[in-house]
Amino acid sequence: MTDFTATKRMFHLPEGMTYLDGNSLGPLPLATPQRVGQTLQDEWAEMVITGWNRAEWIHQPARLGDRIGRLIGAPEGTCVVGDTLSIKVFQALAAALALRPDRKVVLSDTGNFPSDLYIAQGLLGALGQDLELRVVAPEEVADHITDEIAVLMLTEVDYRTGRKHDMAALTAKAHGAGAITVWDLAHSAGALPVDVTGAKADFAVGCTYKFLNGGPGAPAFIFVAPQHAMQARPILAGWLGHAAPFAFEAAYRPADGIARMRVGTPPIIQMAALEAALNIWDHVDMNDLRTRSIELSERFIHAVTQACPDLTLASPTDPAQRGSQVSFHFHEGYAAMQAVIARGIIGDFRAPDIMRFGITPLYLDEADIDHAAAQIAEVINSKEWDRPEFKVRAAVT
Amino acid sequence: MTDFTATKRMFHLPEGMTYLDGNSLGPLPLATPQRVGQTLQDEWAEMVITGWNRAEWIHQPARLGDRIGRLIGAPEGTCVVGDTLSIKVFQALAAALALRPDRKVVLSDTGNFPSDLYIAQGLLGALGQDLELRVVAPEEVADHITDEIAVLMLTEVDYRTGRKHDMAALTAKAHGAGAITVWDLAHSAGALPVDVTGAKADFAVGCTYKFLNGGPGAPAFIFVAPQHAMQARPILAGWLGHAAPFAFEAAYRPADGIARMRVGTPPIIQMAALEAALNIWDHVDMNDLRTRSIELSERFIHAVTQACPDLTLASPTDPAQRGSQVSFHFHEGYAAMQAVIARGIIGDFRAPDIMRFGITPLYLDEADIDHAAAQIAEVINSKEWDRPEFKVRAAVT
């Protein structure tokens, strides 16, 4: 049984702040500064270049990849860390398309994170060849899976509403139509149980700064199913994905397996922070996490909808259809979120009118949920949001 | 006049180590741990998600880009930091090719870093369209610049030999033939004066963990000449390169200017380390650095070649033709370098037979050079390298 009182003590939670934005950026694990300091002072400072061997920096992308793999049902040696999620989406989509050279359509949905769609637009535009990105409503995805589709590219959990796709069912349907799947787990990894093996996902990607708490700008990860690992042609043919990086050969030869999805020199300092964060997951059972996430989410939804008739639930009412966030529509959502933040309740706003709250059992409990709901109710019902200072848009929303 | 005694005091240099590998990974600046600690403890810990606005993380890629821009002759707003060098090469080459859609040949040389060639192979292979990567000997590049060439893609300073291309002359010749240039400054930025504006370079990229001392896995940079900045089509169409990232529009619209070369969420912790390292450059005049680099390099070459008749200089003898490193051919170069390293003199080996030493005036002086040369001479002349333990290959060479 996971001890969530113990996990909460593993984080720095700022005084006076109730943090419901762990779906955007997780808080600092208390062990992180020391682990980062170790990389700076014991490794970089003392070993300098020899740290690549002596501190085994060179193996860190694979080692951390395997640790994330355990959280998403990926076998050892099928997941690697590096770059940003946008880059990993690009790699996965390019490799998936290369597996279906006779097909022209990438199918995605309007619930996908825009960057995934942008990346697809950039890639398809460059590749030409009449490739088409077809974007449909989330609930219509299944009906659009036909034998035209080369790649089904979806984010499992919608970044705005928390609506969760059925990864296994859609993957099965895609495979039935001869398509390859690329799943973005940005809002899934560390948020709920994921089983890429059970779901038979072909490619999966995700980031580590949200529910995994790797820190701002923490690197991304990519999973390639074992049956594709030797066929997946790397469009980003970087030297650390080469079969023999230090032979400095003239021609690119991809490494065996997932290592070919490495590109350039990996971010050692960011990975040290990520490693400290991943240690926390050794204490967590993902099924316990899911149970707790649903308890806290239901409690939050109940409290907010009871107290705030002006807010409409944007998330599915059925917990099984949700990830680990709760969102509400509100016509003055931006200003209201600023007012809520001013009271120390941290959520975020997503255009056009969504107030979004992450439910993260590792460091949130009933008292946090009740306090947050009460503060939101005061802001909404007193129209506190209607002050000019809450309407000024910041660079990052 | 730059005070190199003062800059040397700004670095942590391990006891008993003479570090001639700053062309591979620069040592830790003393100010870095505190700056990184500030990002962890004052920014991430206390501000969490609000750090994107309150600590201005969102502007860090542009701000650090401008600081690097000053070291390479790039005007404000033409240089941005992020990703790895491999990714930045990919972006620059794709954008350059898109500016010459009627041409089919990318010209490079065998002195280019293999990863740049791999990245070109991956990109050209994916784009198809009969694109060709033509790789010639460094001294033959000029003769191969014809009106067939779409893009001339070169690394200014050869990673093995330190041989330096004439960036201005080759760029002029390329422009005369109607070609676009992509310059890799990995071994130039922080190593010698660079003037991308004066040389009329179209695109330039580089890394920050070598001569710039940004730390292991520090992010890369990309420069786009102002006249191309609005035409350069981003193949990596990530959300932070979008004109309005937080509007979450369905279609990609590139930001104005260099911002479109941003891709995903940038590595905030690595950038904090890089910022501390860049502060040192406020105390450095690049012409002073060059003078000092040549003095120390000449002293090193003289001492080593005098003492070790078995070593052959692999670098140009004319200092004007060199970057800031000195390399020697030696038939047992790998083992010899391991033996030299065992004596605390850190250089590195590059296949097939190169012993490579970085000359970095920020933290090396005459005493270091003389000590290193004497130790190398002992290893070579006593055949100390002929011990079995020095012949075991490590993961990273």
Side-chain angles (χ1 to χ4, degrees), chain B residues 351-367:
Chain B
D353 68 346
I354 289 208
M355 299 177 69
R356 186 175 78 152
F357 301 93
I359 308 297
T360 49
L362 257 50
Y363 49 83
L364 288 178
D365 56 25
E366 283 82 356

Side-chain angles (χ1 to χ4, degrees), chain B residues 38-335:
Chain B
Q38 179 193 331
T39 289
L40 296 178
Q41 306 274 17
D42 301 342
E43 300 175 6
W44 180 15
E46 297 303 329
M47 303 176 186
V48 209
I49 191 65
T50 66
W52 287 104
N53 288 313
R54 288 165 62 198
E56 300 198 342
W57 293 341
I58 197 70
H59 301 305
Q60 193 73 320
R63 202 162 48 201
L64 297 186
D66 279 339
R67 295 190 68 179
I68 291 166
R70 276 172 237 150
L71 301 176
I72 62 167
E76 294 269 304
T78 62
C79 193
V80 73
V81 159
D83 304 297
T84 65
L85 178 50
S86 297
I87 298 295
K88 291 316 190 198
V89 169
F90 186 84
Q91 286 185 290
L93 182 56
L97 278 167
L99 292 173
R100 289 293 176 273
D102 49 326
R103 297 189 179 195
K104 300 294 179 193
V105 181
V106 174
L107 179 64
S108 191
D109 73 12
T110 54
N112 207 341
F113 189 64
S115 193
D116 293 24
L117 301 177
Y118 301 160
I119 286 288
Q121 291 164 26
L123 175 63
L124 271 54
L127 295 178
Q129 305 167 346
D130 307 318
L131 289 164
E132 178 197 344
L133 174 64
R134 190 171 295 169
V135 181
V136 302
E139 58 274 16
E140 292 171 4
V141 167
D143 290 343
H144 282 81
I145 298 173
T146 65
D147 59 12
E148 266 189 299
I149 307 301
V151 182
L152 175 64
M153 180 185 84
L154 294 172
T155 295
E156 188 189 20
V157 176
D158 186 304
Y159 76 106
R160 285 166 312 181
T161 65
R163 186 258 322 124
K164 189 170 86 64
H165 275 307
D166 185 331
M167 182 157 61
L170 287 171
T171 298
K173 181 142 196 200
H175 288 173
I180 299 288
T181 56
V182 174
W183 285 98
D184 181 339
L185 304 177
H187 295 267
S188 307
L192 63 156
V194 178
D195 183 4
V196 291
T197 301
K200 298 191 163 56
D202 300 288
F203 295 85
V205 295
C207 65
T208 64
Y209 49 76
K210 296 177 184 288
F211 292 91
L212 295 176
N213 312 304
F221 65 85
I222 184 167
F223 157 81
V224 180
Q227 72 273 21
H228 300 311
M230 296 298 289
Q231 276 71 51
R233 191 177 69 188
I235 186 169
L236 297 172
W239 71 307
L240 288 182
H242 193 282
F246 292 92
F248 298 102
E249 298 170 2
Y252 182 71
R253 281 192 298 130
D256 285 352
I258 191 66
R260 66 180 58 186
M261 289 295 151
R262 294 181 61 168
V263 187
T265 305
I268 297 303
I269 304 174
Q270 296 278 166
M271 287 197 297
L274 175 57
E275 185 170 38
L278 290 177
N279 287 339
I280 296 174
W281 293 95
D282 293 344
H283 306 273
V284 179
D285 177 283
M286 293 308 289
N287 292 313
D288 293 346
L289 183 92
R290 180 65 171 163
T291 301
R292 188 89 179 116
S293 159
I294 291 175
E295 280 170 10
L296 295 173
S297 298
E298 292 287 290
R299 186 181 184 103
F300 185 62
I301 291 170
H302 181 77
V304 172
T305 52
Q306 287 284 308
C308 308
D310 292 351
L311 297 192
T312 319
L313 186 64
S315 304
T317 50
D318 175 5
Q321 309 287 321
R322 279 197 314 260
S324 199
Q325 67 171 74
V326 171
S327 301
F328 301 95
H329 294 289
F330 181 58
H331 60 92
E332 284 281 357
Y334 182 83

Side-chain angles (χ1 to χ4, degrees), chain A residues 171-311:
Chain A
T171 299
K173 180 140 198 202
H175 288 173
I180 300 287
T181 56
V182 174
W183 285 99
D184 181 339
L185 305 177
H187 295 267
S188 307
L192 65 155
V194 178
D195 183 4
V196 291
T197 301
K200 297 192 164 57
D202 300 287
F203 294 85
V205 295
C207 65
T208 65
Y209 48 77
K210 296 177 184 289
F211 293 90
L212 294 176
N213 312 305
F221 64 85
I222 184 168
F223 157 81
V224 180
Q227 73 272 22
H228 300 311
M230 296 299 288
Q231 277 71 51
R233 190 176 70 187
I235 187 170
L236 296 172
W239 71 308
L240 288 181
H242 193 282
F246 292 91
F248 298 102
E249 298 170 3
Y252 181 71
R253 281 193 297 130
D256 285 353
I258 192 66
R260 66 181 58 187
M261 290 294 152
R262 294 181 60 168
V263 187
T265 304
I268 299 302
I269 304 173
Q270 296 278 167
M271 287 196 297
L274 175 57
E275 185 170 36
L278 290 176
N279 288 339
I280 296 174
W281 293 94
D282 293 344
H283 305 272
V284 179
D285 177 283
M286 293 308 290
N287 292 313
D288 294 346
L289 183 92
R290 180 66 170 162
T291 302
R292 188 89 180 115
S293 159
I294 290 174
E295 279 170 12
L296 295 174
S297 298
E298 292 287 292
R299 187 180 184 102
F300 185 61
I301 291 171
H302 181 77
V304 172
T305 51
Q306 287 285 310
C308 309
D310 292 350
L311 296 193

Side-chain angles (χ1 to χ4, degrees), chain A residues 47-243:
Chain A
M47 303 175 187
V48 210
I49 190 69
T50 66
W52 287 104
N53 289 312
R54 288 165 63 198
E56 299 197 341
W57 293 340
I58 197 71
H59 301 306
Q60 193 73 321
R63 203 163 47 204
L64 297 186
D66 279 339
R67 295 190 68 178
I68 291 167
R70 275 173 237 151
L71 300 176
I72 61 167
E76 294 268 304
T78 62
C79 192
V80 73
V81 160
D83 305 297
T84 65
L85 178 51
S86 297
I87 298 295
K88 291 317 190 198
V89 169
F90 186 85
Q91 286 184 291
L93 182 56
L97 278 168
L99 292 172
R100 289 293 176 272
D102 49 324
R103 297 188 178 196
K104 300 294 180 194
V105 182
V106 174
L107 179 63
S108 191
D109 72 12
T110 54
N112 207 340
F113 189 63
S115 193
D116 293 24
L117 302 177
Y118 301 160
I119 286 288
Q121 291 163 24
L123 175 64
L124 271 54
L127 295 178
Q129 302 167 348
D130 307 319
L131 289 164
E132 178 198 343
L133 174 64
R134 191 172 294 169
V135 181
V136 302
E139 58 274 17
E140 292 171 5
V141 167
D143 291 342
H144 282 80
I145 298 173
T146 64
D147 60 11
E148 265 189 301
I149 307 301
V151 182
L152 175 64
M153 180 185 84
L154 294 172
T155 295
E156 188 189 20
V157 176
D158 186 303
Y159 76 105
R160 286 166 311 183
T161 64
R163 186 260 320 125
K164 190 170 86 65
H165 275 307
D166 185 333
M167 181 157 60
L170 287 171
T171 299
K173 180 140 198 202
H175 288 173
I180 300 287
T181 56
V182 174
W183 285 99
D184 181 339
L185 305 177
H187 295 267
S188 307
L192 65 155
V194 178
D195 183 4
V196 291
T197 301
K200 297 192 164 57
D202 300 287
F203 294 85
V205 295
C207 65
T208 65
Y209 48 77
K210 296 177 184 289
F211 293 90
L212 294 176
N213 312 305
F221 64 85
I222 184 168
F223 157 81
V224 180
Q227 73 272 22
H228 300 311
M230 296 299 288
Q231 277 71 51
R233 190 176 70 187
I235 187 170
L236 296 172
W239 71 308
L240 288 181
H242 193 282

